[in-house]
Amino acid sequence: MFEIILGITTGIILPLQTAISVKLRKTLGTPLRAALATFFVAAIFLGLILIMSDHTLLISSTVISKQPWWIWIGGFLGVIYVTGNIILFPKLGSVQTVIMPVLGQIIMSMFIDNFGWFGLTQHSFDWIRAISSLLILSGISLAVLVDQRLEKKQNRKISEKLPWQLCGVLLGICNATQTGINGHLGSVIGSPIQATFISFVFGTLTLLILTFIKDRSLSIKNGLKSGQPWWVWTSGLFGSMFILGNTFLSPKIGTGLTVSVVLFGQIAGSLLIEKFGWLEAQKKAISKTKILGLAIMFIGVILIKLV
């Protein structure tokens, strides 16, 4: 029961972090700068936790020499996921920015579980998981079609959103892969916190290079003088807690169930943000059809839990 509550809480964190990151993007000027600030704060936060709990920040030479190369790419996948979400949020809105990656998460997590990729426990793809996946995909379709009908009435081109929706699916694949990799890394070194810290350090270094190449400067000084609320700088804290929760849960309950439980929290959080306009997000009415679609998705999540 503890794992389920932790998974839901972890899921609620993500849309909050995405909304804050969007505000941070406006403060610093570009998605890369916002993502870099997020990763840097997260790395510092996790590093302090490790130091205060008497854990080392370094990786043993044995782990480096004996583990496969892919165990270190979680941070790079995190860069793609966080930066992509910052870009997608104003294009798709809070709910679709959560829902579209879910499609990629579900597909990839089922592959990871079925084949036992990344050194994780194998969970065969049986008929219950197949039905669960179909229910989740049906719920996604229903929820997305609502937004598309509304946009058609407002004379917007639905095709304009399709590329962004496909990008959302690819982001979900990256996130599920990162969850599996970080989960395995946490098991290997015996510390989910250190595994998450390593992921954010690699991500920070990657973003630092990309930001200097593309944006030429960090613009931190201008951001500090922008007069934005203090909470725009907390994106990294929320991001670290989200990745840490996934890293802790994945080897314990499997990537598929981790993704599914966290999904419910993501949906709940995104609905609350859109309904009440939290964190200065644009308010949007939540239709009954969209709620029905999300309810169908939740039934699929419950079925996966029962496998």
Side-chain angles (χ1 to χ4, degrees):
M1 187 63 182
F2 167 74
E3 287 83 359
I4 302 302
I5 294 174
L6 177 61
I8 293 174
T9 305
T10 298
I12 292 174
I13 287 172
L14 180 61
L16 294 173
Q17 187 255 342
T18 301
I20 294 172
S21 295
V22 170
K23 189 71 175 179
L24 185 58
R25 174 190 178 177
K26 294 178 181 178
T27 301
L28 296 177
T30 70
L32 284 176
R33 289 173 183 164
L36 175 59
T38 296
F39 271 68
F40 178 74
V41 170
I44 295 298
F45 172 67
L46 291 166
L48 291 174
I49 292 178
L50 287 171
I51 292 172
M52 289 187 293
S53 58
D54 294 326
H55 278 77
T56 179
L57 300 180
L58 303 177
I59 311 167
S60 71
S61 57
T62 304
V63 173
I64 296 175
S65 61
K66 292 187 176 181
Q67 293 303 315
W69 62 269
W70 50 258
I71 202 172
W72 311 111
I73 68 170
F76 304 121
L77 295 173
V79 167
I80 297 172
Y81 185 66
V82 172
T83 307
N85 270 295
I86 295 173
I87 296 172
L88 284 184
F89 192 91
K91 302 290 184 180
L92 298 179
S94 177
V95 171
Q96 282 206 43
T97 300
V98 170
I99 288 177
M100 296 316 298
V102 164
L103 177 56
Q105 290 171 350
I106 292 296
I107 293 172
M108 191 61 184
S109 66
M110 291 302 170
F111 275 102
I112 293 172
D113 275 356
N114 186 66
F115 297 105
W117 288 348
F118 310 124
L120 298 174
T121 303
Q122 186 174 359
H123 300 276
S124 298
F125 188 76
D126 54 19
W127 65 272
I128 296 181
R129 285 179 177 266
I131 293 175
S132 301
S133 299
L134 287 174
L135 285 172
I136 292 172
L137 296 179
S138 299
I140 291 172
S141 300
L142 191 59
V144 170
L145 286 174
V146 171
D147 283 346
Q148 291 182 340
R149 284 205 307 271
L150 290 175
E151 286 169 3
K152 192 173 182 180
K153 290 180 180 179
Q154 296 170 1
N155 296 320
R156 295 180 185 174
K157 293 182 179 179
I158 295 175
S159 59
E160 292 179 357
K161 274 201 172 184
L162 182 59
W164 298 110
Q165 291 169 339
L166 293 176
C167 286
V169 175
L170 293 175
L171 291 180
I173 292 175
C174 289
N175 179 246
T177 304
Q178 182 193 25
T179 297
I181 290 174
N182 285 352
H184 178 63
L185 179 60
S187 297
V188 168
I189 63 180
S191 172
I193 298 177
Q194 189 180 11
T196 308
F197 170 73
I198 293 169
S199 179
F200 275 105
V201 168
F202 275 98
T204 300
L205 294 175
T206 302
L207 282 165
L208 189 61
I209 295 171
L210 292 175
T211 302
F212 274 120
I213 292 174
K214 186 178 186 300
D215 298 334
R216 305 294 180 182
S217 68
L218 301 181
S219 192
I220 299 297
K221 186 180 293 186
N222 293 335
L224 293 173
K225 294 180 179 179
S226 64
Q228 295 294 338
W230 62 269
W231 48 259
V232 301
W233 303 101
T234 65
S235 174
L237 301 181
F238 285 94
S240 62
M241 289 186 285
F242 175 74
I243 300 300
L244 179 58
N246 279 281
T247 302
F248 174 80
L249 290 172
S250 182
K252 289 185 174 295
I253 62 176
T255 304
L257 182 54
T258 297
V259 166
S260 300
V261 176
V262 170
L263 160 63
F264 176 69
Q266 290 175 359
I267 294 169
S270 63
L271 282 175
L272 290 173
I273 290 173
E274 283 203 349
K275 175 67 175 178
F276 299 106
W278 288 351
L279 303 172
E280 300 182 8
Q282 182 180 358
K283 285 187 178 181
K284 290 184 180 180
I286 306 300
S287 67
K288 293 180 180 179
T289 309
K290 181 175 289 186
I291 292 175
L292 176 61
L294 297 177
I296 292 173
M297 293 170 66
F298 178 65
I299 294 172
V301 170
I302 293 299
L303 282 177
I304 291 179
K305 178 182 179 300
L306 295 176
V307 174

